[in-house]
């Protein structure tokens, strides 16, 4: 492979990728509201000569380049979080900005830049004749990841009946290659009390006081969770609290909390639920410990319910997909750092649920995700485009 030619071709598309990304940033596209992003990506894929472009019943946009036997997929979720407190932004999050080196705006790093780089990576494959009868490339612009990571791929695997040889996750990787992540789950803990008039609290059972005992034990649980040498320690923290009471002059008769539970390698949703259920105060107060479910309609109106469980996954260092990614990067940009994500990605379903190998490489930085004044770097778009273009041929050589 002529890697200099690949790098030059990717560099030649910098202006086009910048314009494409700025167009996407200018279109609001939070979870279940991605239609504008889908239509813009569909248009770009068709203009660049993808062999097949379609939108599935859930609303994922899917483009195919080539006709070879092996299916190699590149995934980029195309929904974004909201902008949060507008006062924290120094520029308009949708108008964004552009300098000689940077592009700013909501979704610049997380993760509209990923879909931009891979759409043009597929174009470079076609331009340079890198496609062969050995493989075809699927580029997916997937929906609802910010709300429910991996739900889109549950649909793609189970309903679209798509199962690639492996998948490249194009979430931001700080210029590194990532081969795993902790999983997560969303837990609800609820206790029931008995209300009474606030002037005589001894007549009732205050559910908030019960929960206060439980919360201290959850804090302690976090300190003793399992540690994995590669992914690090599992964690648990309280993310929300709810109550019920007849009035502000009454003892609370109900209290519930949401827990964000990060699962390291070796932990399961069953073990995580049982750890909470076994806490002394949960036993004492007969706390109900359950897992949340997600059932929100997509922008096309399709509801695909699932448990809020997002499994851990790790791809071995010696896996052919890891090695092909490392070789592709090394040939053009030097020795890469191979590491893992801190946050969660669609890999929780692709590899976590279905065992389809995943490898991560994407433009932007993790620290930009969900933050005000989000930005990415033009050099990252070009670098990722080049590596994406080389990867399938390196894998199939």
């Amino acid at each position: 492979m002529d890697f200099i030619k690949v790098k030059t071709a990717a560099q030649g598309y910098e202006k086009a990728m910048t314009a494409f990304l700025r167009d996407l940033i200018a279109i609001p596209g939070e979870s279940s509201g991605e239609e504008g992003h889908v239509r813009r990506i569909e248009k770009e894929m068709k203009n660049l000569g993808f062999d097949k472009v379609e939108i599935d019943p859930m609303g994922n946009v899917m483009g195919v380049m080539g006709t070879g036997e092996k299916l190699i997929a590149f995934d980029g979720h195309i929904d974004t979080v909201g902008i949060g407190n507008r006062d924290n932004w120094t520029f308009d999050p949708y108008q964004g900005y552009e300098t000689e080196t940077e592009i700013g705006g909501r979704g610049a790093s997380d993760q509209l830049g990923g879909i931009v780089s891979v759409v043009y990576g597929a174009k470079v494959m076609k331009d340079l004749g890198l496609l062969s009868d050995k493989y075809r490339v699927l580029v997916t612009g997937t929906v609802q990841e910010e709300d429910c990571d991996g739900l889109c791929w549950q649909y793609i695997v189970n309903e679209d009946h798509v199962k690639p040889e492996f998948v490249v996750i194009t979430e931001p990787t700080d210029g590194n290659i990532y081969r795993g992540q902790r999983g997560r789950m969303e837990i609800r803990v609820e206790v029931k009390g008995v209300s009474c008039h606030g002037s005589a609290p001894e007549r009732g059972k205050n559910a908030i006081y019960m929960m206060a005992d439980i919360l201290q034990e959850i804090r302690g649980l976090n300190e003793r969770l399992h540690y994995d040498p590669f992914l690090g320690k599992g964690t648990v923290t309280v993310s929300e609290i709810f109550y019920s009471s007849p009035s502000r002059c009454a003892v609370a008769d109900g209290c519930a909390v949401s827990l964000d539970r990060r699962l390291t390698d070796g932990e399961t949703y069953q073990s995580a639920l049982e750890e909470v259920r076994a806490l002394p105060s949960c036993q004492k107060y007969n706390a109900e410990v359950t897992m949340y479910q997600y059932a929100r309609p997509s922008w096309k109106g399709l509801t695909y319910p699932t448990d809020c469980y997002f499994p851990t996954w790790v791809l071995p260092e010696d896996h052919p997909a890891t090695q092909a990614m490392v070789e592709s990067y090394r040939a053009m940009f030097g020795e890469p750092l191979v590491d893992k994500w801190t946050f969660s990605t669609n890999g929780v379903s692709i590899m976590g649920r279905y065992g389809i190998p995943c490898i991560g490489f994407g433009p932007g930085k993790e620290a930009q995700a969900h933050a005000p004044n989000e930005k990415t770097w033009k050099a990252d778009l070009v670098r990722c485009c080049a590596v994406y273009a080389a990867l399938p041929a390196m894998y199939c050589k």
Side-chain angles (χ1 to χ4, degrees), residues 63-330:
V64 176
M65 195 75 92
T67 57
E69 181 182 355
K70 295 181 188 295
L71 180 63
I72 296 173
F74 293 79
D75 177 69
H77 78 77
I78 57 174
D79 57 326
T80 71
V81 295
I83 64 171
N85 183 351
R86 177 64 178 82
D87 291 340
N88 288 330
W89 290 77
T90 59
F91 58 90
D92 186 298
Y94 296 115
Q95 179 179 331
Y97 74 87
E98 177 186 348
T99 69
E100 187 176 337
T101 59
E102 297 176 357
I103 302 166
R106 176 52 86 215
S109 271
D110 187 20
Q111 65 126 140
L112 298 174
I115 193 72
V116 166
S117 284
V118 74
V119 165
Y120 275 86
K123 172 62 173 167
V124 171
M125 293 177 210
K126 187 171 187 177
D127 289 348
L128 301 185
L130 297 176
L131 295 164
S132 72
D133 59 1
K134 290 184 179 179
Y135 69 88
R136 65 193 188 280
V137 168
L138 170 67
V139 176
T140 60
T142 46
V143 299
Q144 292 182 277
E145 190 273 352
E146 294 292 4
D147 261 12
C148 189
D149 356 344
L151 177 67
C152 47
W153 271 90
Q154 289 185 53
Y155 191 89
I156 288 168
V157 171
N158 294 333
E159 311 303 330
D160 294 336
H161 305 294
V162 172
K163 192 168 183 180
E165 181 103 352
F166 72 94
V167 179
V168 178
I169 304 292
T170 64
E171 292 259 23
T173 59
D174 292 47
N176 307 317
I177 294 169
Y178 288 170
R179 63 179 184 89
Q181 57 156 101
R182 290 183 303 169
R184 70 181 187 90
M185 62 186 297
E186 298 172 7
I187 300 173
R188 181 180 173 90
V189 182
E190 185 171 3
V191 291
K192 303 290 187 183
V194 178
S195 64
C196 68
H197 200 283
S199 64
E202 68 279 1
R203 297 173 184 164
K205 295 180 180 179
N206 194 316
I208 292 176
Y209 290 165
M210 297 177 189
M211 187 60 72
D213 293 343
I214 293 172
L215 293 180
Q216 292 305 312
E217 292 174 4
I218 290 171
R219 177 183 286 181
L221 174 64
N222 179 66
E223 300 304 316
R224 57 179 188 272
L225 291 175
H226 177 64
Y227 175 83
D228 176 77
F230 177 59
L231 293 182
K233 194 176 79 67
T235 60
V236 61
T237 192
V238 179
S239 57
E240 296 176 314
I241 189 163
F242 316 94
Y243 74 93
S244 61
S245 178
S247 80
R248 288 198 297 269
C249 299
V251 164
D253 58 10
C255 190
V257 295
S258 301
L259 306 182
D260 178 292
R261 177 68 160 89
R262 300 289 157 155
L263 302 162
T264 197
D265 208 15
E267 296 182 312
T268 67
Y269 78 86
Q270 296 98 329
S271 66
L273 289 172
E274 287 308 313
E275 285 168 339
V276 177
R277 288 170 180 154
L279 294 173
S281 292
C282 283
Q283 299 265 316
K284 178 180 178 180
Y285 300 126
N286 296 313
E288 184 178 10
V289 181
T290 57
M291 183 159 48
Y292 280 98
Q293 276 211 327
Y294 181 84
R296 183 182 179 189
S298 73
W299 70 265
K300 291 198 77 172
L302 182 144
T303 301
Y304 202 67
T306 190
D307 288 332
C308 291
Y309 169 54
F310 312 94
T312 307
W313 62 274
V314 177
L315 188 69
E317 284 190 90
D318 60 357
H319 190 278
T322 309
Q323 294 302 306
M325 179 70 84
V326 169
E327 289 173 22
S328 299
Y329 186 102
R330 183 188 290 133

Side-chain angles (χ1 to χ4, degrees), residues 328-349:
S328 299
Y329 186 102
R330 183 188 290 133
M332 292 183 279
F333 303 106
E335 196 64 32
L337 172 66
V338 180
D339 206 346
K340 77 273 185 185
W341 273 292
T342 301
F343 59 42
S344 187
T345 74
N346 279 333
V348 296
S349 285

